[in-house]
């Protein structure tokens, strides 16, 4: 049998997992793998990012749009530690990523060798599994196991650390399939017994409410949600990460939950007599103060992860398992119904929110003053809500979530659980490479944009037709908003003196424009959408604009502020 290096064995193992794309950054401890990659460049495409954080966020974006496991490479020490933010982000947002890091030779482990860092200990709490390989013959089994764990059950990140001597070591390689059927067990033995209880509650409810989370997209259960809703006529709200799992133009859609979510979607939570939560974890940004959250409602919680059941909110009927499978059973069991009077209450709240917030957000009070909502609303109209939006973290993120009307499934990618600034640009690169046929638009604030601005080099080198819109208010806007509202207007270290973005972008060979009035905004958005190449648009927006409605941290979902 042929003997090959551990590095070559790794690449063969990745091909067995149908890996087509890797994001990475080379260095000393992973150099044997990159040397082997030279012979595989026609089978596996490698994207040279400009920073390891860019590599893992790109892998996340690729994974989110394709449903496949993203893959990234980094060297030891600082290369590996630069992945940590992205690994934690992927863990909290249930994104399957396999991270391969190089490590110093095994005989130097624990000696504080050059660029040695104990990445296994560092990432134990933020990965589904991690493992250090010191022998080449371990590689095929460990890589197969890594991909299985990353994708099975609730998805998430896995890190595999490979010592340099294991990469060089010659050993026999035999391609074979590994079985991990009993490795991850989803304890759903009880949900069939609970199905009848759930169906009975749904059929009897007078004010039922369906909450859609990211788990619906992960389970590819969008069609089932639609069929279930069309049969039961239950109002539907979405979490931030659940956006685009249910069409925003559906007559039963009532908006987004959360701190900056829609008025009715939030306050009527405390009037519902039944809440059906699908693929969401009752995050604090959704529930607010748990002591006052939906105390009047019975709760059906559908989730593949048993650890989420009763973690934050005590449920009446737990349904642990695959959301798609459970919904299919529920659809067959529930009765046709309508809840028009209940839905009418949401529409009355919509009218209040329109008068208090939306009308003001969208009105053009000044010829030159552009509001964030105007940008997103106009973009939504021009794209018919069909583009993939990749957003960073901050005010622009909340405005994009509120004003872009998603009509296609799996069209919203953002950093939810960790709230990682610098996420959008590299994630949008990965998303565009994973969905080349779709329009991918990155919406970024001026603060987050500068955190990973170097990834524009990837757009240039790989000639990626990515569209980028930076909403520039010369502030860390969300932090400034909190300082104004909750810290007696002490504006501390949040104003930004920004560089000339247009000159920087042009230095990367990317077409760039700057909109400073309503006419320019309209015209440049048309140019951006018509462009077959990458395009950057900076929009100067109002400096001191705030995002409302808002539920203050620690308040209940009924404590909505309009100003």
């Amino acid at each position: 049998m042929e003997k090959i290096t551990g590095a070559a064995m790794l690449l063969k193992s990745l091909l067995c997992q149908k890996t087509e794309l890797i994001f990475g950054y080379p260095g000393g401890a992973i150099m044997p793998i990159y040397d082997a990659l030279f012979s595989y460049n026609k089978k596996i495409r490698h994207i040279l990012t400009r920073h390891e954080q860019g590599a893992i966020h790109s892998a996340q974006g690729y994974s989110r749009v394709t449903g496949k496991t993203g893959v990234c490479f980094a060297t030891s020490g600082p290369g590996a530690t630069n992945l940590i933010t992205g690994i934690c982000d992927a863990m909290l947002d249930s994104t399957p990523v396999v991270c391969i890091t190089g490590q110093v030779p095994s005989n130097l482990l624990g000696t504080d060798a050059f660029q040695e860092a104990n990445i296994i200990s560092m990432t134990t709490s933020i990965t589904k599994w991690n493992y250090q390989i010191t022998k080449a013959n371990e590689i095929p089994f460990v890589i197969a196991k890594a991909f299985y764990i990353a994708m099975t059950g609730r998805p998430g990140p896995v890190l595999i650390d490979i010592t340099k001597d294991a990469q060089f070591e010659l050993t026999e390689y035999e391609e074979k399939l590994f079985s991990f059927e009993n490795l991850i067990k989803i304890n759903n033995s009880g949900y069939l017994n609970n199905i009848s209880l759930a169906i009975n509650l749904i059929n009897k409810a007078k004010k039922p409410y369906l909450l859609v989370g990211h788990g619906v997209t992960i389970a590819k259960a969008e069609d089932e949600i639609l069929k279930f809703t069309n049969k039961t006529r239950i109002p539907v709200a979405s979490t931030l990460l659940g956006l685009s799992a249910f069409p925003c133009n559906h007559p039963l859609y009532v908006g987004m939950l959360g701190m900056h979510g829609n008025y009715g979607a939030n306050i009527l939570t405390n009037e519902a007599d039944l809440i059906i939560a699908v693929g969401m974890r009752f995050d604090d940004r959704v529930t607010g103060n748990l002591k006052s959250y939906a105390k009047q409602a019975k709760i059906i919680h559908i989730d593949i992860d048993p650890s989420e059941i009763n973690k934050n909110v005590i449920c009446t009927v737990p349904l642990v398992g695959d959301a798609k499978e459970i919904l299919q059973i529920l659809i067959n069991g529930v009765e046709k119904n309508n809840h028009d009077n209940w839905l009418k209450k949401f529409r009355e709240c919509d009218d209040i929110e329109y008068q208090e917030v939306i009308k003001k957000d969208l009105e053009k009070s000044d010829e030159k003053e552009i509001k964030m909502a105007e940008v997103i609303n106009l973009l939504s109209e021009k794209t018919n809500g069909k583009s993939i939006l990749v957003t960073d973290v901050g005010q622009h993120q909340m405005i994009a979530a509120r004003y872009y009307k998603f009509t296609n499934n799996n069209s919203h990618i953002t950093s939810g659980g960790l709230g990682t600034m610098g996420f959008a640009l590299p994630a949008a690169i990965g998303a565009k490479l994973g969905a080349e046929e779709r329009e991918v638009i990155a919406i970024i604030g001026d603060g987050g944009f500068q955190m990973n601005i170097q990834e524009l080099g990837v757009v240039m080198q790989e000639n990626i037709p990515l569209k980028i819109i930076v909403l520039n208010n010369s502030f860390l806007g969300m932090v400034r908003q909190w300082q104004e509202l909750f810290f007696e207007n002490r504006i501390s270290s949040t104003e930004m003196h920004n560089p000339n973005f247009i000159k920087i972008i042009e230095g990367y060979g990317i077409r760039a424009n700057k909109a400073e009035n309503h006419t320019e905004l309209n015209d440049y958005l048309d140019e951006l959408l018509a462009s077959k190449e990458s395009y950057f648009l900076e929009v100067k927006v109002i400096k001191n604009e705030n995002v409302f409605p808002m539920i203050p941290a620690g308040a209940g979902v009924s404590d909505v502020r309009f100003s």
Side-chain angles (χ1 to χ4, degrees):
M1 194 177 295
E2 178 190 12
K3 285 190 173 184
I4 61 173
T5 65
M9 192 175 290
L10 170 68
L11 297 172
K12 284 182 176 290
S13 298
L14 290 174
L15 284 172
C16 285
Q17 299 300 322
K18 298 182 172 55
T19 300
E20 301 170 334
L21 194 61
I22 296 169
F23 302 90
Y25 201 97
I30 200 171
M31 205 173 293
I33 291 173
Y34 273 88
D35 183 55
L37 185 63
F38 183 83
S39 301
Y40 283 80
N41 59 10
K42 292 183 179 179
K43 296 179 179 179
I44 300 178
R45 183 181 179 186
H46 179 272
I47 304 297
L48 175 63
T49 62
R50 298 309 190 258
H51 192 282
E52 292 86 359
Q53 187 179 352
I56 187 163
H57 288 330
S58 293
Q60 287 177 270
Y62 172 82
S63 174
R64 294 271 286 269
V65 299
T66 63
K68 301 175 183 177
T69 301
V71 180
C72 61
F73 285 174
T75 194
S76 64
T81 59
N82 281 342
L83 294 177
I84 287 177
T85 295
I87 293 171
C88 189
D89 191 286
M91 188 70 173
L92 285 171
D93 287 351
S94 304
T95 306
V97 179
V98 170
C99 305
I100 310 292
T101 55
Q103 185 54 276
V104 301
S106 56
N107 66 306
L108 294 179
L109 290 173
T111 68
D112 293 331
F114 177 68
Q115 290 195 333
E116 181 191 3
N118 189 342
I119 196 65
I120 296 297
S121 293
M122 291 182 197
T123 59
T124 296
S125 66
I126 55 170
T127 53
K128 285 188 73 179
W129 182 58
N130 63 15
Y131 187 83
Q132 187 174 78
I133 293 175
T134 58
K135 296 292 182 182
N137 60 9
E138 296 180 284
I139 290 173
F141 175 81
V142 170
I143 294 301
K145 183 177 177 180
F147 275 79
Y148 178 83
I149 290 175
M151 282 293 288
T152 304
R154 181 178 180 171
V158 171
L159 181 135
I160 305 301
D161 194 43
I162 309 177
T163 60
K164 195 169 184 178
D165 52 319
Q167 298 171 45
F168 276 125
E169 185 183 0
L170 289 170
T171 190
E172 293 179 345
Y173 174 77
E174 179 184 0
E175 188 173 310
K176 61 180 180 179
L177 296 175
F178 298 96
S179 176
F180 302 100
E181 288 182 9
N182 297 317
L183 186 63
I184 296 177
K185 294 182 179 179
I186 299 170
N187 184 21
N188 58 7
S189 57
Y191 88 70
L192 288 175
N193 296 329
N194 289 341
I195 284 286
S196 59
L197 296 175
I199 290 171
N200 187 52
L201 286 176
I202 293 166
N203 290 338
K204 289 183 176 180
K206 302 300 181 185
K207 294 182 178 181
Y209 194 15
L210 179 61
L211 312 184
V212 172
H214 187 209
V216 171
T217 298
I218 294 171
K220 297 180 173 60
E222 295 97 338
D223 287 347
E224 284 72 20
I225 283 287
L226 204 54
K227 289 175 183 176
F228 176 83
T229 306
N230 286 336
K231 187 174 183 180
T232 60
R233 310 302 294 173
I234 295 174
V236 181
S238 166
T239 66
L240 175 66
L241 286 177
L243 284 171
S244 80
F246 192 84
C248 292
N249 58 356
H250 194 284
L252 291 170
Y253 183 69
V254 298
M256 183 179 72
L257 302 160
M259 180 173 281
H260 292 285
N262 293 104
Y263 179 55
N266 279 318
I267 67 164
L268 292 179
T269 301
N270 284 351
E271 287 193 28
D273 60 6
L274 176 67
I275 290 175
I276 308 158
V278 187
M280 53 90 75
R281 56 192 177 89
F282 290 107
D283 173 79
D284 64 289
R285 287 296 169 101
V286 165
T287 65
N289 189 336
L290 285 169
K291 292 181 180 179
S292 60
Y293 181 78
K295 294 304 178 184
Q296 78 296 332
K298 292 181 169 60
I299 294 175
I300 298 169
H301 193 177
I302 302 172
D303 205 288
I304 201 165
D305 185 354
S307 71
E308 292 297 343
I309 303 297
N310 297 328
K311 184 177 82 174
N312 295 324
V313 174
I314 304 300
C315 67
T316 312
V317 180
L319 298 176
V320 179
D322 180 79
K324 188 181 187 76
E325 178 184 304
I326 292 171
L327 285 166
Q328 286 169 346
I329 299 171
L330 289 176
I331 290 166
N332 291 328
V334 296
E335 299 170 353
K336 287 186 178 181
N337 210 333
N338 78 73
H339 298 280
D340 292 345
N341 290 334
W342 172 227
L343 182 63
K344 185 180 177 182
K345 293 196 119 187
F346 286 93
R347 298 308 170 215
E348 290 169 353
C349 289
D350 290 345
D351 292 339
I352 294 171
E353 183 177 351
Y354 179 80
Q355 292 298 326
E356 293 288 340
V357 176
I358 297 173
K359 183 179 179 181
K360 299 172 186 176
D361 277 355
L362 297 180
E363 68 183 0
K364 298 175 183 177
S365 57
D366 183 277
E367 178 58 31
K368 290 187 177 181
E369 285 196 335
I370 301 174
K371 297 177 181 178
M372 292 181 286
E374 178 191 352
V375 182
I376 303 302
N377 187 64
L378 190 57
L379 181 67
S380 182
E381 291 175 353
K382 288 178 179 293
T383 60
N384 295 314
K386 296 183 182 299
S387 296
I388 295 174
L389 250 58
V390 185
T391 63
D392 215 80
V393 173
Q395 287 183 318
H396 71 278
Q397 177 192 33
M398 295 296 104
I399 290 290
R402 285 179 52 79
Y403 287 99
Y404 196 86
K405 304 306 179 187
F406 297 94
T407 54
N408 282 355
N409 292 337
N410 199 15
S411 297
H412 180 241
I413 299 172
T414 196
S415 171
L418 195 61
T420 304
M421 291 179 68
F423 172 86
L425 178 57
I429 290 169
K432 184 60 181 176
L433 291 172
E436 293 180 338
E437 75 289 352
R438 295 188 64 186
E439 186 79 87
V440 177
I441 304 172
I443 307 292
I444 317 176
D446 49 307
F449 181 56
Q450 294 178 84
M451 285 193 168
N452 274 316
I453 193 172
Q454 75 283 339
E455 299 308 311
L456 290 170
V458 180
V459 178
M460 176 181 65
Q461 183 168 339
E462 298 294 333
N463 195 27
I464 300 170
L466 179 65
K467 311 300 171 60
I468 304 164
I469 300 174
V470 166
L471 303 184
N472 182 2
N473 59 9
S474 298
F475 266 109
L476 298 176
M478 189 60 82
V479 184
R480 183 207 53 75
Q481 177 170 335
W482 281 52
Q483 288 173 339
E484 177 185 327
L485 297 177
F486 309 118
F487 292 86
E488 298 179 348
N489 205 32
R490 291 187 292 274
I491 308 303
S492 174
S493 302
T494 48
E495 186 169 8
M496 303 193 77
H497 291 202
N498 290 319
N500 187 326
F501 288 131
I502 302 301
K503 286 187 176 181
I504 292 173
I505 304 306
E506 288 176 344
Y508 283 99
I510 297 170
R511 187 177 178 188
N513 269 310
K514 181 177 181 178
E516 298 187 81
N517 59 56
H518 307 295
T519 301
E520 289 177 345
L521 174 64
N522 182 74
D523 293 346
Y524 290 151
L525 278 179
D526 286 340
E527 284 187 19
L528 176 143
L529 294 171
S531 177
K532 302 299 182 184
E533 300 176 337
S534 55
Y535 192 109
F536 174 90
L537 177 60
E538 177 187 356
V539 184
K540 290 291 288 184
V541 295
I542 298 173
K543 289 188 70 171
N544 296 314
E545 191 178 3
N546 289 334
V547 183
F548 292 106
M550 181 181 187
I551 300 172
V557 291
S558 297
D559 301 321
V560 178
R561 290 182 58 164
F562 288 128
S563 62

